Amino acid sequence: MGLTKQYLAYKPVSSFNIIASARANISFVTISNATGRYVVVAAAEKVLVWDLRIGEKVAEFCRDKQEVTFLRTSPDQKHLAVGYSDGLVELFSVETKQSVCSFASHRSAVSALNFDLLGLKLVSGGLDNDLVVSDVVEQSGRCRLTGHTAPITQCCFMQRFQDVVVSSSKDTQIKFWNIETQCCFKTIVDHRTEVWGIVLMRNDDFLVCGTADTQLSVYKITPITDATVPVVVASEQPESESTVSPFRCTAAGSIQRAGHGRTINLVADANGQVLGCHGTDRQIELFLFCSPEESMKKLTKRMKKLDTNKQSAEEPASRQLALTDEIKRLTSIPTPEKVKSFDLLLGSRNELRICCTFVKNFVQLFSLDLNVKKDAEPETLYALQKQGHPSEARTVAFSSDNLAIASGSAESLKLWSRASQTVLRTVDTGGYVVSTCFVPGDRHVLVGLKTGQLLVVDVVPGEVIECIEAHEKELWSIVLTPDKHGCVSGGGDTTVKFWSFELIAGSGGQDAAKVLSLLHKNTLKLEETVLSVRISQNGKYIAVALLDTTVKIFFMDSLKFYLSLYGHKLPVLTMDISYDSTLIITGSADRTIKIWGMDFGDCHRSLLAHDNTVTAVQFIPNTHMFFSCAKDGKLKQWDADSFQKIITLPGHLGEAHALAISPNGKYVVSCGSDRTLRLFHRTEEPLVLQDVQEEEREELENATLATGEESTVPGLPGLKLPSKKTIGSEKGAENILECLEVSKQYEEEGGKGPLPPLMFAYSATNTDDFLLTVLSRIRASDLEESLLLLPFNAVCELLERVPKLTTERKDQTELICKVVLFLFRVHQKPIVNNQVLLPVIQKIVQTLQAAVGELRDMVGTNFHAAQMLQRELEENDGCVLFRDATKQRIQRDRRRKRREASKRKLLQIVK
């Protein structure tokens, strides 16, 4: 088939402007052994690592078009777990920036993540009310814990008690789970409102939880040993609970917060010494949990005071440790805005560092010296706020040389470098920017505000040189005249005003350099609010979109009425005229784009373009192709001659507000409610419409699972796997079935002749290698779901091949064991009732037991041989290998760093 028309593909370059998303949390991360300098934050669908000292982005982690909802670094700082809005948890390597594995855990957004003490297990909580425990080493889920009736707010592992998970939820309950038995053995139901956060302090001695009131509840956790005789009090749980739970959890009191409103977040440092919390106000409250020795000292002092006051006999309860002895309130940290999330880091010199993210898209790092006993003042070390707009960008524009981008938000105008996506200038506009336009020469930018003012901004110094009261209401649209000698503005006061550029003398007198100014020439009065204005390139017509859903076209020279374009059901918010002045396109709030002829005002075609209000349309220069964006977040390219959609670009996570195309047509930039500016560039890759449409159909089909959402097995109605069904698991099941079918057909032919094409593609020489290659290529987190989709006859076929596989491929013993054990567990009843499988099962048991024993012997032999070699080397060389040498090197490095730190000057950067 020959190409009738060739289009070139646009591909995303990058997204910028966003410093930190408000939905996800912030966390310290260690890079190159530097602690307290780097923070990791979410930025829409990306995860960014910022160097706070120099204020630059040093790393980026990407998956696909899903918003990041939670992130957590592993205890050894080598891995980063990221939870997404589609319920998937991705594990990245901090060093290589690549994905290590992924867990399809939840059916909705991930709301909590936490590693265990060694970083070998990961627990995640979601908005689907479930907890999932995943094995990081095995790269698959271990168990799914169900019991909460509302979204999970926090979950964490206990350190002193193995395989115990604590979780809190909006159902007002705190639950303790045992991973081995997969059941809840203790529930705290003391609260009447949602539990928004929990944290374990001082090596699991205390459990602190925050609710919708201004108090933090504190629970004392004491282990139950054989020597402990449980004392039953009327208010406590019955004694039978102590036989199930390895510890006793009793209410110890509450901490009264100084802030107002509900507790939003609770965070503790890695050692559980310092607790931080914040509510709906502008402060972070800090509490120090004293060590047992310090607590006893406080109790001793208090008892001395009681003895001097002769109250000890009257108050025997005061002789015991109280919360006031064990918890000390630290200096609160005032913040410039309401805190969205924060993280704590306690240094070796008792320096507490707190990094915070705010709704207004900036990050701040505070420091507090805990060595100062009283009145320690927190100081601001670094702030990241110049790298992005504090609020959503509402308008964008390209300069005439394609090198600069102007974006306007509720309080400022920013100029960006298109090549590096960095901020060049920031101009405080003092008002809400709704329209922007570069003046010819790119030295000045015209800015229209919501108040109706028209600002002239000088790019070089980044200053507003003139403020003109252009309109009484919103200045919705600014457009240059074709001769570049002036501009036209349309506003909410039902007028269209014509302006000419003038150079006037500066404030320094006649010798001063001349500055740009606007001279008002004419006014066109209309009946309705003006939403958009465009001028044809031949300078003959001016089109005005009105609030009454019509577009009126006037002659440019006489301002006489020429045409009225009516047909939209809702107001036209945006429009554009082609380069040859023959076509005009209009985008409306009724989700349609209409293509009109300029000669007679006839509608060539009406396109149902988007799923929501169309916010911007613009022609690609010197073509009849155009881009559109809408509140559904999508960017689409269209052909106005053939009325076909060319391609849909990956758009914004929320609404798309505006777009701009560079004068050379090579770049497209858009802004949206996810606070990102997204840049696309035109490649040399040709597009064929049929191929693009086929790819979009495939994506739509892949988005809906062919086998349904639920994993159902006959006889197991309550099956709760720690994973969910994905496209990968369906493809894995298809590959296994195809492999079994091809292998059976090849063996029936005698196993002679040419290899089947599929086996040749997998580089397999026999059917056993073929099956093992197919199984090993299925992602570890999808393997169980893939096996679950197999019909029982395929399961029997697979089991019949296991004895031969086990004896011939002992290097894959672990994978074979995993497959066999899962199939036995899921299909136990039909396998037991099938008499044909009895000899197969006996053979499987024998071969697998022998293979596992052989593997265990080999691992043990290698382990003890390595230990023996180590001992021999230590005896011969007279030195201790590895452990002690590593400790000595770490101590030397610490001493060197302390010497260097004492020589360096402390810099304080306040922006």
Side-chain angles (χ1 to χ4, degrees), residues 48-65:
L48 306 178
V49 179
W50 290 96
D51 186 343
L52 294 177
R53 182 176 295 176
I54 61 177
E56 289 183 1
K57 181 174 64 177
V58 295
E60 192 174 282
F61 302 89
C62 298
R63 184 188 151 227
D64 56 6
K65 203 65 182 172

Side-chain angles (χ1 to χ4, degrees), residues 554-615:
F554 300 88
F555 289 101
M556 186 70 176
D557 50 1
S558 62
L559 298 183
K560 287 186 178 179
F561 177 74
Y562 171 54
L563 285 174
S564 179
L565 310 179
Y566 53 89
H568 284 288
K569 296 180 177 63
L570 290 172
V572 174
L573 303 179
T574 177
M575 59 183 179
D576 197 16
I577 299 174
S578 63
Y579 74 102
D580 54 4
S581 306
T582 58
L583 295 177
I584 178 171
I585 49 174
T586 56
S588 169
D590 62 5
R591 303 178 296 168
T592 62
I593 295 174
K594 292 184 185 292
I595 304 170
W596 315 77
M598 287 288 287
D599 296 334
F600 306 104
D602 55 325
C603 181
H604 292 181
R605 186 64 63 95
S606 180
L607 305 169
L608 184 58
H610 291 274
D611 299 330
N612 210 328
T613 300
V614 180
T615 53

Side-chain angles (χ1 to χ4, degrees), residues 737-838:
L737 290 173
E738 197 172 13
C739 168
L740 293 173
E741 184 180 347
V742 170
S743 301
K744 185 178 180 182
Q745 186 177 354
Y746 182 63
E747 288 171 353
E748 286 176 354
E749 294 173 357
K752 298 178 181 179
L755 289 174
L758 198 60
M759 285 179 64
F760 187 76
Y762 277 93
S763 303
T765 56
N766 53 55
T767 54
D768 297 334
D769 292 345
F770 184 28
L771 179 58
L772 280 175
T773 307
V774 169
L775 288 172
S776 61
R777 288 197 180 186
I778 301 173
R779 198 169 57 181
S781 57
D782 289 335
L783 181 61
E784 290 187 354
E785 291 285 351
S786 299
L787 296 172
L788 204 60
L789 291 172
L790 297 178
F792 185 66
N793 60 345
V795 171
C796 297
E797 231 178 296
L798 187 60
L799 290 175
E800 287 171 0
R801 294 177 178 272
V802 166
K804 188 180 176 185
L805 282 177
T806 310
T807 54
E808 293 187 0
R809 291 295 301 272
K810 295 185 178 180
D811 57 321
Q812 296 287 348
T813 303
E814 187 181 352
L815 175 64
I816 297 170
C817 278
K818 190 188 295 185
V819 172
V820 169
L821 289 175
F822 179 77
L823 292 177
F824 276 7
R825 191 167 70 246
V826 172
H827 300 284
Q828 181 190 5
K829 292 180 180 177
I831 287 174
V832 170
N833 294 331
N834 194 336
Q835 295 296 324
V836 181
L837 281 178
L838 186 59

